[in-house]
């Protein structure tokens, strides 16, 4: 079985299987770190003023959709050659592949408030083998739904990952 056929088989077996990840309780500090990363100084000032006044603080609009992981991050040695972690590489663990992001669509329902517990539920939603100018590849469709403790959807992200066979060592890229 070829590498891409293995990705197809694994993905087909995972379609519709949702995996939950407890993202923990989001904080003003988390929101401000994100705002600093996107250079939104005005958000930081507003959020800190609201926090000081005892008011509820909403996350920046794309905070949940932009967070790739809720952990501290892996050691560099645990990253795949394409820079992704195993969690960000469904259906490809241990296979000689490379991946690129094929785009995403984000649905914003409501922003989480600081102090809210958030859960991310993720599933493979589609898989398709394609052929292009550079050869065969697989398109993985993924959906991540972020929900509050009461189960209400906060944000949903539909994304496409392009999976290609790895370039053999020594081959021209």
């Amino acid at each position: 079985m070829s590498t891409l056929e293995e990705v197809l088989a694994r993905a087909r077996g995972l379609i519709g299987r949702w995996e939950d990840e407890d993202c923990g309780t989001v904080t003003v500090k988390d929101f401000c770190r994100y705002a600093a990363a996107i250079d939104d100084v005005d958000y930081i000032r507003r959020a800190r003023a609201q926090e000081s006044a005892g008011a509820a603080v909403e996350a920046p609009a794309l905070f949940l959709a932009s967070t790739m992981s809720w952990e501290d991050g892996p050691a560099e040695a645990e990253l795949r050659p394409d820079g992704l972690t195993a969690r960000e590489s469904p259906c490809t663990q241990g296979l000689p592949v490379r991946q690129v992001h094929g785009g995403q669509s984000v649905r914003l329902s409501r922003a989480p408030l600081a102090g809210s517990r958030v859960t991310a539920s993720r599933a493979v939603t589609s898989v398709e083998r394609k052929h292009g100018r550079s050869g065969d590849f697989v398109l993985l469709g993924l959906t991540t739904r972020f929900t509050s403790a009461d189960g209400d959807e906060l944000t949903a992200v539909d994304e496409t990952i392009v999976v290609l066979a790895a370039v053999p060592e020594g081959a021209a890229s």
Side-chain angles (χ1 to χ4, degrees), residues 9 30 43 59 61 77 84 86 89 92 104 106 110 114-115 120 126 130 133-134 147 151 161 164 167:
D30 297 329
Y43 174 86
L84 298 175
S89 306
T92 65
Q104 71 180 187
V106 178
R110 69 180 169 94
S126 65
K130 296 278 200 171
R133 286 182 291 177
S134 61
T147 56
I161 305 294
L164 307 140
V167 176

Side-chain angles (χ1 to χ4, degrees), residues 29-114:
K29 184 176 185 176
D30 297 329
F31 300 164
C32 289
R33 283 181 172 170
Y34 169 77
I38 62 168
D39 199 26
D40 188 349
V41 177
D42 291 337
Y43 174 86
I44 297 169
R45 286 187 192 117
R46 278 193 320 275
R48 291 299 185 188
Q50 290 170 319
E51 180 183 39
S52 292
V57 179
E58 282 189 357
L62 294 176
F63 170 76
L64 291 174
S66 299
T67 303
M68 293 184 71
S69 176
W70 297 94
E71 300 171 1
D72 290 339
E76 189 172 342
E78 294 175 23
L79 293 175
R80 296 173 36 87
D82 55 16
L84 298 175
T85 63
R87 181 197 177 282
E88 297 153 354
S89 306
C91 314
T92 65
Q93 294 86 345
L95 298 175
V97 297
R98 55 200 161 102
Q99 300 174 79
V100 293
H101 202 266
Q104 71 180 187
S105 170
V106 178
R107 292 182 307 281
L108 303 172
S109 298
R110 69 180 169 94
L113 298 176

